[in-house]
Amino acid sequence: MLSKSQARAFFLGGTFLFGAIFVFLTIDTLRQNDPRTNAQNLTEDVLKGKEIWEKNNCMGCHTLLGEGAYYAPDLTKVVERRGVSWIDVFLDDPQAMFPGERKMVKYNFTKEEKGQVIAFLDWVGKIDANGWPPKPNIPIGSITTAAPPQTTANVVKVSQPEKFSQICVACHAVGGKGGNVGPALDHVGSKFDADYLNRWLVDPQVIKPGTNMPKLPLSDTERKDIVTYLSALK
């Protein structure tokens, strides 16, 4: 049993020891804060994006860095997973990208506001959070659907355009890989000619009013590359 003097020494020693450890860890955390959060990349767009995030209470449904609600997906690494182009289209009309599935509100952001939200999410995704969140076992672009039926037709080998892999695979599958919101596109080149595919990509609503496919922000070159690729899927 400790004497009064020993108990006092034990208490004071423990207090000073753990107090010193606390101070050291606090200083070390502050020292690492700027480099690990890439504070130099806190641009005006990032700050505005954070304001939009908070104003619309996005954390009421989504999670960032482990903080927030779990009703909707964690968005810590969403720019890395989905890409800027896909998010830009998604924010225009979430329901159009996932008809009958997504419950996210259509906020009618301006182009500038969308860019600011994406800038904020991109900055968050590059924070060194010690590996959080863990990467999914199946990458987004590798989600598989039922394999298409085998045919004896010759298939022209055309590389998949970057824009197609950024946006289109979220809803459509080719070769069993991609989303299942829209129809598989394995044989779309046999069903429609290049002119039809081009007009469809220019504005799907003109070709088929009421279709769930949104109008994609494609340049002439990007649309031409996708049409060439789709035309070869026979």
Side-chain angles (χ1 to χ4, degrees):
M1 185 173 180
L2 297 176
S3 64
K4 287 186 177 181
S5 59
Q6 289 175 326
R8 186 183 300 110
F10 182 80
F11 171 77
L12 293 176
T15 300
F16 283 120
L17 173 63
F18 288 102
I21 292 174
F22 176 78
V23 171
F24 169 77
L25 292 176
T26 300
I27 294 174
D28 185 60
T29 298
L30 294 175
R31 179 180 61 82
Q32 296 187 53
N33 187 63
D34 285 355
R36 296 188 68 166
T37 60
N38 299 305
Q40 73 278 5
N41 294 331
L42 278 171
T43 63
E44 188 66 24
D45 280 347
V46 173
L47 297 177
K48 289 290 185 181
K50 185 175 186 295
E51 290 181 11
I52 295 172
W53 173 271
E54 294 176 344
K55 178 182 177 181
N56 291 282
N57 190 31
C58 300
M59 197 168 280
C61 293
H62 295 281
T63 304
L64 283 181
L65 300 170
E67 294 291 333
Y70 290 89
Y71 176 76
D74 184 299
L75 299 183
T76 304
K77 296 286 186 180
V78 67
V79 176
E80 178 183 321
R81 295 198 317 268
R82 290 294 195 180
V84 171
S85 298
W86 189 92
I87 299 172
D88 183 76
V89 174
F90 177 79
L91 289 175
D92 281 334
D93 191 350
Q95 283 285 343
M97 295 293 281
F98 295 92
E101 296 182 25
R102 295 287 178 177
K103 303 300 181 183
M104 180 172 163
V105 177
K106 183 179 179 181
Y107 288 103
N108 296 314
F109 292 134
T110 64
K111 184 175 181 62
E112 182 182 21
E113 289 172 333
K114 287 193 299 178
Q116 291 166 346
V117 171
I118 292 172
F120 170 63
L121 294 174
D122 185 44
W123 175 77
V124 170
K126 293 176 180 176
I127 291 176
D128 181 358
N130 287 328
W132 178 267
K135 292 186 177 181
N137 293 328
I138 303 176
I140 293 296
S142 300
I143 296 176
T144 59
T145 59
Q150 298 297 319
T151 66
T152 57
N154 293 325
V155 178
V156 180
K157 296 292 185 180
V158 177
S159 59
Q160 194 174 91
E162 182 179 6
K163 208 69 172 182
F164 186 93
S165 61
Q166 290 176 343
I167 300 178
C168 305
V169 295
C171 296
H172 298 280
V174 174
K177 293 184 178 181
N180 57 8
V181 175
L185 300 178
D186 296 277
H187 308 295
V188 69
S190 300
K191 300 176 182 177
F192 307 107
D193 59 24
D195 178 66
Y196 178 90
L197 293 172
N198 183 69
R199 288 187 291 113
W200 175 266
L201 290 175
V202 169
D203 192 345
Q205 292 295 332
V206 171
I207 306 299
K208 186 179 179 181
T211 181
N212 288 321
M213 179 168 169
K215 182 177 180 179
L216 303 177
L218 302 172
S219 67
D220 290 342
T221 300
E222 291 168 341
R223 188 172 65 254
K224 180 180 178 182
D225 290 343
I226 293 177
V227 168
T228 300
Y229 171 68
L230 294 177
S231 297
L233 300 177
K234 300 180 180 180

